Each structure stands twice: as structure tokens, then as C-alpha cells.
Amino acid sequence: MKIKQLTILLILIFTSCSNSPTNSSNQTAPALSAVIDYSPVSPEVGTQVSLDAIGSQDDQNIGYDVNWSFTGKPSGSSASITGSTQENASFTPDVAGDYVVELEISNSSESVSDTETTTITVTPINQSAIELSGTISSDSTLTDIFSDPSEPDYMVTGNLDIEAVLTIDPGVVIHVQQDLGIDINGSGILKADGETDNKIVITGEDQSANGFWRGLNVYSNSVENSISNAEISYGGSISAGTYFESATITIDRAKLQLSYVTISNSGGYGIQTRRDESEFPMQDMTFETNDLGHAYIHTDQMGYFDNGSMFDGGYVFVYSGDTSSDMNIANLNGAKYQIMTKSDFEHSVTIEQGTEFEFAADAGLDINSGAVIIAQGTASEKIVFTGVSKVPGAWKGIYIGSNSVDNILEHVDISYGGSSENRTYFDKSNMVIDLAKVTLRNVSISGSDGYGIETRRDGSTFNIENSSFSDNEFSDMYIHPTQVGFIDDQTNFNGGDVEVYSGDTEDSGSVTWSKLNNGTYYFSQTVTIENEVTIDAGAYFEMGTDVNLIVSGSTTGGASVIEAVGSAADPITFTGRSKVKGAWGGIRISSASVDNIMDHVLIEYGGGKDLATYMDAGNLGVYNDGYLTLSNSFIENSANYGVIVRTGRDAQLNGSNISYSNNDNDNLYNY
């Protein structure tokens, strides 16, 4: 149907003018011009938009047909044009955004047409956020109302208690008024799962300073509780309850799955718990600008952090407690764990490379019987155990009471421990090894206010390889004679001591006492050799007051043996801690083994006490049926005899090239 009916008058004009048209009609071609008018100019979602084509141009009144159509609509729109073939049409927008409208006018008999397009921008409904307060007692869903992420869809105007299933759709923005909170109670379930490009946002109505609203408190232990692809910020304005600090999320005897969530701008902690019953595994989290710390958790909950999460520095605080199952402790990218009192490992715990622990005053870490610690860093990403304060004695230290062969510390730094005795009968130290097993490889132990490492009994086994000790107030190590052979010659003692207290070696087998790299053996009490001991060239021993080194006679494993073979360039030295005559007792050989040998050895400043019943004092004594080959050696500065041999009881000294100097009594006395 034509919009306009016209009377067409055909006039034939004959003319001889040169500019006359050459077509048979001798008529000017008709023209159409489409023009669109619409109202209102700035429509909102749900408001009808009127379309008007009456302003279109038809200069020769040939008439035209009309067709309205959309050439573009916002994603998700199902709007359509009513009266699409009329001059006056309309549509009702259902989604905010740009609607591209096209008008075509045409006359088919004249083969003419024209089109025009225009873009009509539709804005969201100008309405306020939906207010939330009180109790949600039936299953409910919060939907995304406004597409603008700066506009809140919901406003929490009173404390909100969730007693049913609350589902929050992707894109929902919730603002919370000052000091109010959202509680997921025992019968409630929270399902707040956003999307990567359409996150859920829960924040304060005012975002000018950290800690505007109280926070999200979870008391429900449903495994369905979940928050993902979300941003939760500006919580932690006031305490979450008795025994709690302020926090953005408080989890109390509850369960909550967290993934791809940013927790920021808390006036207290990002996350906090008070007990060990809560479970909140996390994946790819982000923690930023939280005033008290990113988290405040139980020892058992360290395993919930993953190595995909990111931190802007700061701490995850661990207040105390025991493990309840095997766990992996992840490297906090940018943050550190701060142990506030004492943490007990009762299970197998693996610590990832690069993980850092700082301990508060007198706090410590115990690896108890039945537990396993696997702490393997790398040269570039060491695992660190240190004090919050970087001074000797800033924290207690590490106690290892586990005898698992799997215990290992590799590329680990331990520093500034030794604040107090770690156990009864122990002194201060960075590490205690008590009837335990552990491998220490590429470990640095420094800055203790007591010992670097100490043991109290002979039941511990520990291998020390390529490690380093420095600046420990007492000796670097305090160990039993059975443990001397656990130290390699690559570990650097930086001028420090390995202190060996009283006791016997194992009564069978063989062991090597290495030359300490830049270190000294200090025998603070008498030591008895009951197995086969080989001493490396260059080993240096200092002896305390009245201390003797005894190579015993027959034992259950057979005669003990000492093989101390140095060289001219690298002699083995036995001397007093004090460089005065009689500073220590001396060496007594009671073993009859013909393998006993001392070559290129210096023995000095002994003779401070009798070597045995019926044997006077001296630097070196061969007792009863003892046997010793002594060659290329120096016997000096004894407070009594240089060497004394009880030949009357079949003692034998096979000596050659022995140099004596400044001994108070005979250099060699046979009796």
C-alpha cells in the first residue's frame, strides 16, 4: 500500500532545445529522502520509544512504503518494533545500551528508495538499590540489576542474617552501610560464584578509608558454602564478636570454599579464625591493604593457602596449635607466615621452596614424634625460619623430636633463635635434635643467642652437608661423641666450634672425624673412643679443663682404634682451649690394636690431671697393654710428662721422629 496516492499527469512536451533529456519520458526522475524522529530523546529501560517517519521527503508526491528494523541491539535484548510498516512505530527497550534503528522508504513502481539509521542510547532504570536487612529465611537469589558496576544492586541497611540458601548471581554489587555485617548462620548456605569478567562485589557504602562495614561472618559448616570470582573489601570496622578481632571474613567452626577472590582494605584482618575446626581451602586469591594482616589462623590451617595466591607484603599470622593431618605449606607470594606462640607438627608437613616464617618473641616450632618435616628450598628460593626481630634470641627455635628418615631441611636459613631453653635439660639454641633423625643440607644456622644446634643424648642421627654456621653465641653445635662423624668437611663454621660433651662413641663399626672447614672441635668433657675412628688431616681439637681423650681397651665390638694421620702441611692438633700448660688432661691409649697410629700430630698444653689410676699426668699416655705408633709428631708444653708409657703392664710405644719441647717433667717416661 502506498502511503500517499497521487494523480499522475502525463504531459508530452516537444521541444528542440539542445539540453532536453534524451529519455523517452522527458521527465525528471522522482526522489525520496528518509528522515527519522523519535522520542523520548534519552529513554530508560522499560520506557516505550516512539518512532516517526512523517518528516521524510517525497518532493513529487509519488508515495512510498515504510519499513522499520533494528540493525543493532544490546547483548541479551529481545525487543521488537511494533508497527514496523507504519509511519508511526514504537519499541520498548528491555536492556540498557545502544539500539540501532533503520528506516527504509521505497516506491517499487518507480524503483526508488532511501534509508536512514540512528542510534538510540537507552539508560538503566533510574531506581535505587534494593535494601536488605533482617533475616533471609527462605531460599533466595540476588540478581544483577544494573549493568554499571559502580551502581549497587543491593544496599544492606541493617544487619543481615542468612538462615536459608542465598545465591548471588554474577555481576551483583552489594554495598553495606557503616558497621553492619552479613552473617551466614548454622542453617544458612552462601553460593556467591561470579565469573571471570563479571565479578560479584561486596564492599562498603563509603570506600574512603579501610574498615567501613563489620564484615562477612560464616558460622555454617555446609560444604556448599562458596565464594568465587569476587571482590570483598572495606570490611573489618569493628570486632566480629567475643574473642575475635575485626576482619573482612570471619570463619568460626565453619566451611567455605574460596577461589579467585580479592580481599582488600580491611580495617583488621582479611580472614580470621579462632579455632581449628574451620575449613577454608583457597585457590588463586589476592590479599591487599589489610590493616592488621591478611589472615589470622590456626596451625592446622596453613595448608589452605596455595602458591597461586598473591599478597602485597605483610603477614599471615599463625596463633598456635597442632596439625591434624598431613599438609603442604605454600610459598606466600609476597607475604610471610608469622608464628605468634608455638606451632606443633604432628603429621607429615611439606614446605614449599621460598616460604618464609618469622617468629614472635619466644615462639617456636616443634616437629614431634611421629611427624615428618620436608623443607626443601633451592639456592635461589630458600626456606627461611627467623625472628620478627633480627637480633639473637628473638625466638625460641626449632625442636626436632621425630625419628623419621624422611626429615630433611635443604637450602634453609635458620637465624636469631635461642630466646629460652627449648626443653627441660636443653639450653638455648636455634635447633634441638632430640632422639631424632634429620638431614641438613645447604643449611645456614646463624645468630643464635645460644647454640646453633644441640643434642642431649646419643640417640640422634643427623647428616650435615655443605652447610654454614656463623655468629652463634655459644658453640655452633653441642653434640654427643657418637655424632661427631655426622659432619662433613664442606660445612663452613666461619671460625666457630663444634662442642662435644662427655660420653663414648659407638662400641663397634668405624667412623671418620672430618677436618672442620674453618672450625674447631671443642671437647668440653672427657670423650672415650670405643670403635674405629679415623681423623682427617688438618683436624683441630681444643680441650676443656681436666678433659681427657681416651682410646679404650677391649669392647663388645673388639679393640678400639685411633688413626690420626696428618701431614707436614696439614697436621692434626690436640691442644687446650687455654694456651697454658695443664689446660687439659691429655690423651690415653688403652687399646692394644696394632692399628693405633698418630702421624704428623701436635699434642700440647696437656698434663693437667692424671691420665688414669697409676698413671701420672702427661700430654700422652700408653696404658696397660695399649699400643701406639707415633711418628713425625710434636709433644709440647705439658705440665708434667710429655709421653708416659706403662711398660710394666705391657704397654708399647713405637715411636720415631718425635719432637719434644718445654715439658715440665721428662719428655718420655717409661715405668
Side-chain angles (χ1 to χ4, degrees):
M1 182 185 73
K2 297 291 186 297
I3 300 302
K4 296 181 179 179
Q5 297 295 329
L6 301 175
T7 301
I8 302 175
L9 178 63
L10 178 62
I11 303 173
L12 298 176
I13 301 174
F14 298 93
T15 177
S16 61
C17 296
S18 62
N19 60 350
S20 295
T22 58
N23 63 341
S24 60
S25 68
N26 292 316
Q27 194 176 5
T28 302
L32 298 174
S33 178
V35 176
I36 298 175
D37 290 314
Y38 68 91
S39 66
V41 175
S42 300
E44 296 178 353
V45 171
T47 301
Q48 180 176 290
V49 178
S50 297
L51 304 174
D52 188 353
I54 200 166
S56 298
Q57 302 298 311
D58 179 10
D59 293 340
Q60 296 185 24
N61 292 322
I62 62 173
Y64 53 81
D65 293 323
V66 171
N67 186 62
W68 296 94
S69 63
F70 287 124
T71 60
K73 291 189 297 184
S75 175
S77 173
S78 59
S80 61
I81 296 176
T82 301
S84 61
T85 60
Q86 305 295 321
E87 275 194 306
N88 294 308
S90 66
F91 74 94
T92 301
D94 55 352
V95 176
D98 291 336
Y99 292 76
V100 182
V101 177
E102 180 181 272
L103 168 65
E104 180 184 20
I105 60 174
S106 62
N107 185 308
S108 58
S109 61
E110 296 292 335
S111 299
V112 292
S113 65
D114 190 39
T115 61
E116 182 186 17
T117 60
T118 189
T119 299
I120 302 172
T121 299
V122 176
T123 59
I125 299 172
N126 185 19
Q127 69 179 59
S128 300
I130 296 174
E131 294 185 358
L132 299 173
S133 65
T135 301
I136 295 178
S137 55
S138 60
D139 294 355
S140 304
T141 299
L142 303 184
T143 60
D144 184 12
I145 300 171
F146 305 124
S147 60
D148 185 352
S150 66
E151 290 290 329
D153 301 299
Y154 300 89
M155 179 70 72
V156 176
T157 58
N159 285 319
L160 187 63
D161 290 284
I162 311 303
E163 304 283 359
V165 178
L166 176 64
T167 302
I168 303 177
D169 283 350
V172 168
V173 177
I174 301 173
H175 284 189
V176 187
Q177 292 183 346
Q178 188 168 13
D179 293 337
L180 300 179
I182 302 172
D183 292 354
I184 314 302
N185 294 318
S187 58
I189 296 174
L190 176 64
K191 297 181 179 180
D193 296 309
E195 298 169 346
T196 302
D197 55 356
N198 199 23
K199 296 183 184 295
I200 294 169
V201 175
I202 306 175
T203 188
E205 181 184 23
D206 185 340
Q207 298 156 29
S208 60
N210 286 5
F212 182 78
W213 60 294
R214 177 162 57 90
L216 178 67
N217 305 316
V218 183
Y219 305 107
S220 162
N221 65 358
S222 170
V223 295
E224 296 184 73
N225 289 319
S226 173
I227 303 175
S228 64
N229 289 297
E231 298 175 0
I232 307 177
S233 58
Y234 293 96
S237 62
I238 57 177
S239 169
T242 305
Y243 308 116
F244 283 106
E245 298 287 344
S246 56
T248 292
I249 299 179
T250 297
I251 307 171
D252 187 21
R253 289 182 173 174
K255 295 181 176 67
L256 178 62
Q257 298 274 343
L258 293 163
S259 59
Y260 302 98
V261 178
T262 297
I263 299 176
S264 67
N265 298 98
S266 173
Y269 295 105
I271 291 175
Q272 70 171 336
T273 67
R274 186 172 68 84
R275 292 172 275 218
D276 61 346
E277 293 94 334
S278 294
E279 299 176 14
F280 47 97
M282 292 180 283
Q283 177 183 357
D284 293 294
M285 302 285 288
T286 300
F287 292 84
E288 298 175 339
T289 324
N290 299 302
D291 285 353
L292 292 182
H294 300 306
Y296 182 82
I297 62 172
H298 187 273
T299 293
D300 194 39
Q301 296 157 349
M302 284 192 282
Y304 294 144
F305 291 86
D306 75 326
N307 58 16
S309 296
M310 302 299 295
F311 301 80
D312 64 345
Y315 291 103
V316 168
F317 290 92
V318 182
Y319 49 85
S320 68
D322 309 344
T323 61
S324 60
S325 61
D326 295 350
M327 72 177 178
N328 181 82
I329 299 179
N331 176 8
L332 301 179
N333 294 311
K336 303 172 184 177
Y337 295 98
Q338 184 176 140
I339 311 299
M340 301 181 69
T341 53
K342 182 170 73 71
S343 287
D344 290 89
F345 290 175
E346 308 286 355
H347 300 79
S348 179
V349 177
T350 300
I351 301 173
E352 291 186 358
Q353 63 191 44
T355 304
E356 295 187 48
F357 300 84
E358 290 189 352
F359 292 78
D362 216 34
L365 175 63
D366 287 4
I367 318 301
N368 294 317
S369 177
V372 177
I373 183 170
I374 301 172
Q376 292 181 283
T378 66
S380 60
E381 288 190 278
K382 294 184 178 181
I383 296 169
V384 175
F385 299 91
T386 189
V388 175
S389 299
K390 302 301 183 285
V391 296
W395 61 294
K396 181 167 287 188
I398 299 174
Y399 171 86
I400 300 180
S402 161
N403 66 356
S404 171
V405 296
D406 295 325
N407 291 323
I408 183 170
L409 279 72
E410 184 172 11
H411 289 292
V412 172
D413 287 350
I414 306 171
S415 60
Y416 300 114
S419 60
S420 61
E421 292 79 3
N422 210 308
R423 283 289 194 281
T424 304
Y425 307 118
F426 283 99
D427 214 316
K428 302 184 296 182
S429 62
N430 270 0
M431 177 183 290
V432 163
I433 304 174
D434 185 18
L435 295 176
K437 295 181 176 67
V438 64
T439 295
L440 303 171
R441 183 181 298 127
N442 297 298
V443 174
S444 172
I445 297 179
S446 64
S448 171
D449 199 40
Y451 295 105
I453 291 176
E454 70 169 319
T455 67
R456 186 172 68 84
R457 294 175 274 212
D458 61 351
S460 295
T461 302
F462 49 91
N463 296 319
I464 299 180
E465 305 170 18
N466 200 35
S467 294
S468 174
F469 291 80
S470 62
D471 301 318
N472 298 300
E473 183 67 21
F474 301 163
S475 299
D476 291 326
M477 300 182 67
Y478 183 76
I479 61 175
H480 189 272
T482 57
Q483 297 154 354
V484 176
F486 299 154
I487 307 167
D488 73 341
D489 60 0
Q490 298 301 304
T491 294
N492 191 347
F493 288 89
N494 292 292
D497 299 325
V498 170
E499 182 174 347
V500 183
Y501 52 85
S502 65
D504 306 340
T505 65
E506 301 288 356
D507 60 8
S508 62
S510 60
V511 66
T512 296
W513 292 357
S514 299
K515 173 187 176 181
L516 297 182
N517 179 12
N518 200 18
T520 299
Y521 290 105
Y522 169 45
F523 285 19
S524 57
Q525 301 174 63
T526 292
V527 170
T528 301
I529 294 174
E530 294 196 343
N531 58 356
E532 297 181 13
V533 172
T534 299
I535 301 176
D536 282 350
Y540 191 89
F541 297 83
E542 288 186 346
M543 308 295 186
T545 302
D546 290 339
V547 167
N548 288 335
L549 175 61
I550 300 169
V551 182
S552 71
S554 297
T555 66
T556 57
S560 54
V561 175
I562 184 170
E563 295 182 0
V565 179
S567 66
D570 213 10
I572 296 169
T573 298
F574 298 92
T575 185
R577 170 129 292 197
S578 299
K579 299 303 182 280
V580 296
K581 292 180 179 182
W584 61 294
I587 300 173
R588 188 185 84 208
I589 309 295
S590 296
S591 163
S593 173
V594 295
D595 294 325
N596 291 322
I597 182 172
M598 290 184 171
D599 181 63
H600 288 98
V601 169
L602 168 63
I603 307 174
E604 61 180 2
Y605 298 113
K609 63 177 290 187
D610 288 350
L611 289 169
T613 304
Y614 309 119
M615 177 170 275
D616 288 341
N619 273 0
L620 173 65
V622 184
Y623 187 63
N624 289 350
D625 60 352
Y627 180 92
L628 176 65
T629 296
L630 179 66
S631 57
N632 304 307
S633 296
F634 297 85
I635 309 296
E636 301 176 352
N637 295 302
S638 171
N640 202 335
Y641 295 105
V643 176
I644 182 170
V645 182
R646 195 176 187 188
T647 55
R649 288 296 183 96
D650 299 324
Q652 299 181 60
L653 174 67
N654 180 17
S656 63
N657 195 28
I658 303 171
S659 174
Y660 297 93
S661 174
N662 202 28
N663 300 299
D664 282 357
N665 211 327
D666 293 343
N667 290 325
L668 175 61
Y669 174 59
N670 293 294
Y671 72 104

